[in-house]
Amino acid sequence: MFRTTRRKAAAGAVLAAAALALTACSSTTSLPGDENEADATAETNSVFADAPVASDDLILPGSTMEKIKERGTLIVAEALDAPLLSQQNPTDPDSVEGFDADLAKLLAIYILGEPNVEIVPPATETREAMLQNDTVDVVFNTYTITPERAEQVSFAGPYFESGLAVAVKSDNDEIKGIDDLDGKEVIVGANTPAVTAVPEQVPTANVTAFATDPAAVQALLQGRGEAYVQDYTLLASNAANDPSLKVVGTPFTKEPYGIGLKHDDAEFKSFINDWLLAIQESGHWAEAWKTTLGTVTDSDVPTAPEIGSVPGS
């Protein structure tokens, strides 16, 4: 059964927000008649077809995996407003689409045999509390792994590596990535890492900073620069909303995204890391990327980052 249900979490103070989220956990919503249609979609969707399912001996007695399997639903902290990552479908509010959303469903399939996911939308400042208070099982929320965060939660992965990337107008076939910016007029966001990263990578580039992302995109489309350097996922989101923009190449700096877990749950972390390797080897990770983030870039499928390769993972 393919089912994505929604629950509301309030933003604000961390503990207050977590308490509200816990209250919200007591109920779920679904629309009558949606399940059959969604079942058919899941069965024909290449992202989920023949997805790996854990053998019974991997669901250890007393483990988090067993708790999730007995419940029948994976509870995930995940955005509802992040294009290409996890965005609610306006025509079907119980459907959330994107790279993070698809990976969460693939993890649910691995544990449950079907993509039963229940979503608690987090605020950035409430993710740690949601895990610590058992509001959610996992966090898929462009959650950058850092040693400081790893003191409060555990991270599986990294499962994706974002970072600074390059966007150009969609009819630009000359620029393929950061290495093609020699002597070019390059737009960056003021007070972003690109301000210093671009001159370091390409000293001959002429850099102009704009105060906001919309202003930078407008400047690019108006021809006031030949390329715009910004975080990959933000550029991909922009390109999803405007077909006159495209992302070229892959990120040239590193921002590793991890799957947030409750601190010191070594069994669950090992289980999820093994699942990540399984979907990488089976091609499902690549398929999830191609049908989401990959739809707005002309680059090949990136290599998945090495599990445990960054401090805090």
Side-chain angles (χ1 to χ4, degrees):
M1 179 176 63
F2 179 83
R3 181 185 63 183
T4 301
T5 58
R6 299 170 295 135
R7 295 180 298 174
K8 297 179 180 178
V14 173
L15 293 179
L20 287 172
L22 279 167
T23 302
C25 286
S26 63
S27 64
T28 62
T29 60
S30 61
L31 298 180
D34 281 354
E35 289 184 1
N36 290 338
E37 180 180 350
D39 282 346
T41 301
E43 290 171 2
T44 58
N45 191 323
S46 60
V47 175
F48 308 113
D50 301 318
V53 178
S55 58
D56 290 341
D57 63 298
L58 295 178
I59 309 298
L60 302 176
S63 66
T64 301
M65 301 83 80
E66 184 181 63
K67 179 181 71 175
I68 294 167
K69 190 159 188 175
E70 289 176 349
R71 184 199 304 135
T73 305
L74 177 70
I75 304 175
V76 181
E78 178 183 306
L80 296 175
D81 58 357
L84 300 179
L85 291 164
S86 52
Q87 184 174 40
Q88 196 170 42
N89 186 331
T91 64
D92 180 5
D94 282 341
S95 176
V96 181
E97 303 160 349
F99 185 65
D100 280 353
D102 283 354
L103 290 187
K105 294 167 194 170
L106 285 168
L107 178 57
I109 291 172
Y110 191 65
I111 300 172
L112 304 168
E114 46 192 10
N116 295 349
V117 174
E118 187 172 350
I119 297 172
V120 181
T124 299
E125 68 272 16
T126 64
R127 292 178 296 193
E128 287 81 15
M130 285 181 168
L131 290 167
Q132 292 164 353
N133 293 306
D134 294 319
T135 304
V136 298
D137 301 314
V138 295
V139 174
F140 280 91
N141 190 233
T142 60
Y143 203 2
T144 301
I145 300 172
T146 68
E148 294 75 22
R149 286 173 173 166
E151 293 178 0
Q152 301 182 64
V153 302
S154 291
F155 286 102
Y159 68 93
F160 183 71
E161 202 162 72
S162 187
L164 294 175
V166 180
V168 298
K169 293 173 70 172
S170 58
D171 59 359
N172 185 328
D173 296 324
E174 178 186 358
I175 296 174
K176 303 294 186 182
I178 186 67
D179 294 335
D180 297 322
L181 298 186
D182 281 333
K184 298 292 193 296
E185 298 293 328
V186 179
I187 295 165
V188 300
N191 302 315
T192 71
V195 172
T196 55
V198 172
E200 289 173 0
Q201 291 281 329
V202 192
T204 60
N206 300 312
V207 176
T208 303
F210 286 82
T212 66
D213 176 63
V217 171
Q218 183 180 38
L220 175 65
L221 297 179
Q222 290 175 344
R224 288 185 279 164
E226 298 165 87
Y228 173 31
V229 176
Q230 180 56 278
D231 183 81
Y232 175 87
T233 54
L234 180 57
L235 293 180
S237 175
N238 289 334
N241 291 321
D242 190 338
S244 59
L245 181 76
K246 69 178 179 181
V247 185
V248 292
T250 55
F252 62 91
T253 63
K254 296 182 178 180
E255 185 175 342
Y257 293 162
I259 302 166
L261 313 172
K262 192 168 185 177
H263 199 243
D264 288 337
D265 190 342
E267 288 180 341
F268 196 32
K269 178 176 177 176
S270 177
F271 177 87
I272 293 183
N273 281 336
D274 288 344
W275 161 74
L276 281 171
L277 291 174
I279 63 171
Q280 290 168 16
E281 293 171 1
S282 68
H284 288 81
W285 184 94
E287 196 65 28
W289 183 88
K290 286 191 292 185
T291 57
T292 57
L293 293 168
T295 61
V296 295
T297 177
D298 59 5
S299 67
D300 295 332
V301 176
T303 300
E306 181 182 353
I307 305 298
S309 59
V310 298
S313 63

